[in-house]
Amino acid sequence: MRKIVMAVMAAASVIFASCDQGRDIAVSEFTVDMANDGNTVRVSVVPSDESVSYCTGLIMEDDYAALGEDGLVSYINDQVASAELKTGPSTEVYQDLLWQTHYYAFVAQINDGSVYGEPVVESVKTYRPYVEFAPEGTIIAPYAVSDNGRWVVGNYQGETMASYIYDVRRDSLTIVDGVMLYDITDAGVAYGKDFAGPVYYEDGQIKTVAAPAGSMESGFYGVSPDGSVAVGYCMTETHDNAAIVYENGTIANITGTDINGQTPDGIVAKGIGANGNIAGYLLDSEHGQEFGCMWRGTSHEFDLFADEYTGEWNEELYTYTKRYGDLEIVISPSGRYLAGKLQISESWEHMPTLAYVYDSEEDRMYEISDVAYNEFRPCAVTSTGLLFLADVPFGVSSQPYVWDFSTDQVSTFADYASQQYGYAPEGVTIQGSVLATSDDGTVVVGNYTSDTAFYTTIYFMSEE
């Protein structure tokens, strides 16, 4: 009969299985088999010599990494006095573990009260391909997922000044009233604004940051994965937007020039990548046109990347032939890719928009060539350069689309997930918009609607 061991992660991250005391025998080999069913893990052990004594346990990935290269043996030796040993084949089942987390099972032969030989270690990841996490009857909109895929942050209940933080591992939702939170670090610290100015939410508390002098309104739109740098905007007394950066406990303005080489009418920092690149947009001083821009690396050197690719001013049409940017601009978790909307001026009657991806390392612009995707809205870009699109310029898409700029091919998200990950859950319709992605692209967050509700959904596309 198999023994069920309940894993209470808040109390202990390492779980030892029970067994019977054996007797001293020579070194044995162990065959370890691990399997998972959701957040339940089964560990089966078969020793080559059924008379040897051994112990087994399960360690979650954060604690396993903290042990270091030689820490496992030391840890087992410290704990073996209180662990019951076993002999012969065994199977242990661990339930209610954290979601989307690697677990490491170890088997160590014990002789004279300490590890004898090298422990055997195998790992498996708890996994689910798909989950709805909006409470019934609520309207919540996601804004971002942390680069490590463990946290989601967004707006709670539509127009209200309230936000939520979703803990992917624990499948729990925290509601934070009085703030709008737009981005979140790998440690689960969320950044945004309240009615007065910039804030961040940490350890259950809203913490305020002093806004720049003279600002009427300000807030954070993005934060680096480690939380060292946050970016956003402040509205000055003349109602112009200025871009801000928060680092080392201080807020400062970061500036730039428009396509005419002049101070823009407004400039905003929208997001930041792991490499320090900051994405933003500005309004040129002469014509009020929006352009994508960036600040490169930790030095925050301004780069109007759209300038190199923009066509000449067309006096007859009162617009530029090509204009890259607008406030829809997004940045990949790595910071390499920026994406936005390209507006092409052909005539007053027809001014199509197309999505673009800018590769900041190669200094190269990619545009969707198929006019069938005119007006599609860029929503999120991965660290490999895949761009998630909505099939409408505003609102919720009928279904998500994926554009691979390397092949200039567009597919539905359903086809993409099926081809890449074999993801085809029975009875589930993938619709709405993909709005954020983890750094490795295995976790994407989006929303969708039905006849009766508006949901937020997280798609776990891959087990690894």
Side-chain angles (χ1 to χ4, degrees):
M1 178 178 177
R2 296 179 178 178
K3 181 177 180 180
I4 304 296
V5 181
M6 299 300 291
V8 183
M9 302 309 298
S13 296
V14 180
I15 309 130
F16 278 94
S18 63
C19 46
D20 297 324
Q21 177 69 42
R23 56 190 179 83
D24 295 340
I25 291 188
V27 175
S28 176
E29 295 181 356
F30 295 92
T31 300
V32 181
D33 177 69
M34 292 187 74
N36 70 298
D37 181 12
N39 64 342
T40 296
V41 169
R42 175 183 56 80
V43 181
S44 297
V45 179
V46 178
S48 60
D49 184 341
E50 295 190 5
S51 66
V52 302
S53 298
Y54 66 92
C55 67
T56 66
L58 196 69
I59 309 178
M60 62 92 72
E61 58 186 342
D62 295 359
D63 296 313
Y64 185 78
L67 291 176
E69 184 176 352
D70 301 318
L72 180 59
V73 170
S74 297
Y75 180 85
I76 297 172
N77 283 335
D78 289 342
Q79 302 294 321
V80 74
S82 60
E84 298 180 20
L85 305 185
K86 64 172 51 173
T87 59
S90 65
T91 297
E92 298 294 336
V93 178
Y94 303 88
Q95 294 182 326
D96 298 328
L97 303 178
L98 297 178
W99 289 102
Q100 297 302 112
T101 301
H102 281 96
Y103 281 90
Y104 293 82
F106 64 83
V107 180
Q109 184 172 342
I110 305 300
N111 192 34
D112 291 333
S114 63
V115 174
Y116 187 65
E118 292 292 329
V120 177
V121 179
E122 297 289 343
S123 70
V124 73
K125 185 178 181 180
T126 57
Y127 169 69
R128 56 184 169 180
Y130 170 95
V131 63
E132 299 171 2
F133 59 83
E136 185 176 357
T138 62
I139 299 174
I140 65 178
Y143 290 140
V145 58
S146 61
D147 280 22
N148 61 10
R150 296 178 184 174
W151 308 89
V152 182
V153 65
N155 176 241
Y156 185 74
Q157 287 292 60
E159 298 299 325
T160 62
M161 193 72 167
S163 297
Y164 70 85
I165 298 173
Y166 177 66
D167 186 333
V168 173
R169 278 180 159 181
R170 292 170 177 81
D171 192 22
S172 63
L173 198 70
T174 298
I175 309 303
V176 188
D177 288 318
V179 295
M180 295 291 286
L181 301 174
Y182 294 108
D183 202 2
I184 193 163
T185 71
D186 283 347
V189 181
Y191 283 70
K193 66 177 184 176
D194 62 11
F195 290 102
V199 303
Y200 61 96
Y201 181 81
E202 183 179 25
D203 297 330
Q205 294 185 345
I206 299 171
K207 301 179 181 181
T208 59
V209 176
S215 67
M216 298 179 60
E217 178 186 325
S218 59
F220 297 129
Y221 280 136
V223 63
S224 60
D226 62 1
S228 62
V229 183
V231 299
Y233 78 102
C234 73
M235 182 182 293
T236 66
E237 294 175 340
T238 58
H239 298 277
D240 293 326
N241 284 326
I244 60 172
V245 60
Y246 175 63
E247 52 189 335
N248 301 319
T250 303
I251 281 186
N253 287 347
I254 49 176
T255 60
T257 54
D258 64 16
I259 198 167
N260 306 303
Q262 301 176 10
T263 300
D265 285 342
I267 188 168
V268 173
K270 290 284 287 185
I272 182 171
N275 63 359
N277 285 350
I278 300 170
Y281 71 93
L282 57 80
L283 297 177
D284 80 87
S285 59
E286 187 174 351
H287 306 102
Q289 301 288 323
E290 296 162 340
F291 289 91
C293 63
M294 66 181 296
W295 294 263
R296 290 184 179 268
T298 57
S299 64
H300 313 319
E301 180 182 357
F302 180 73
D303 182 0
L304 185 59
F305 65 87
D307 187 16
E308 181 179 348
Y309 302 96
T310 300
E312 296 298 322
W313 174 254
N314 187 323
E315 293 290 350
E316 181 180 351
L317 299 179
Y318 299 99
T319 187
Y320 289 99
T321 304
K322 285 189 176 183
R323 175 162 56 85
Y324 294 88
D326 83 11
L327 53 83
E328 299 289 351
I329 195 165
V330 292
I331 188 171
S332 67
S334 68
R336 175 173 179 172
Y337 298 104
L338 285 74
K341 292 174 71 175
L342 158 67
Q343 187 171 86
I344 303 174
S345 303
E346 295 181 355
S347 69
W348 283 112
E349 293 79 19
H350 182 57
M351 298 177 68
T353 61
L354 297 170
Y356 71 83
V357 169
Y358 173 67
D359 184 341
S360 65
E361 290 186 7
E362 299 292 335
D363 191 22
R364 184 174 177 183
M365 190 76 73
Y366 297 86
E367 305 168 11
I368 292 181
S369 61
D370 193 334
V371 295
Y373 303 108
N374 283 3
E375 308 300 329
F376 275 34
R377 185 177 77 252
C379 298
V381 60
T382 72
S383 291
T384 58
L386 294 176
L387 182 61
F388 293 103
L389 300 163
D391 62 2
V392 290
F394 304 100
V396 179
S397 181
S398 63
Q399 65 174 315
Y401 287 80
V402 185
W403 176 47
D404 184 345
F405 73 78
S406 65
T407 61
D408 196 23
Q409 297 297 309
V410 178
S411 63
T412 65
F413 177 79
D415 288 343
Y416 164 78
S418 175
Q419 294 167 6
Q420 296 295 319
Y421 305 104
Y423 175 63
E426 184 177 354
V428 173
T429 300
I430 302 174
Q431 53 186 345
S433 304
V434 171
L435 300 177
T437 175
S438 63
D439 182 54
D440 62 7
T442 61
V443 178
V444 297
V445 178
N447 55 31
Y448 74 92
T449 58
S450 69
D451 292 338
T452 59
F454 178 89
Y455 298 100
T456 298
T457 305
I458 190 166
Y459 298 95
F460 300 120
M461 298 189 298
S462 172
E463 292 193 53
E464 297 300 328

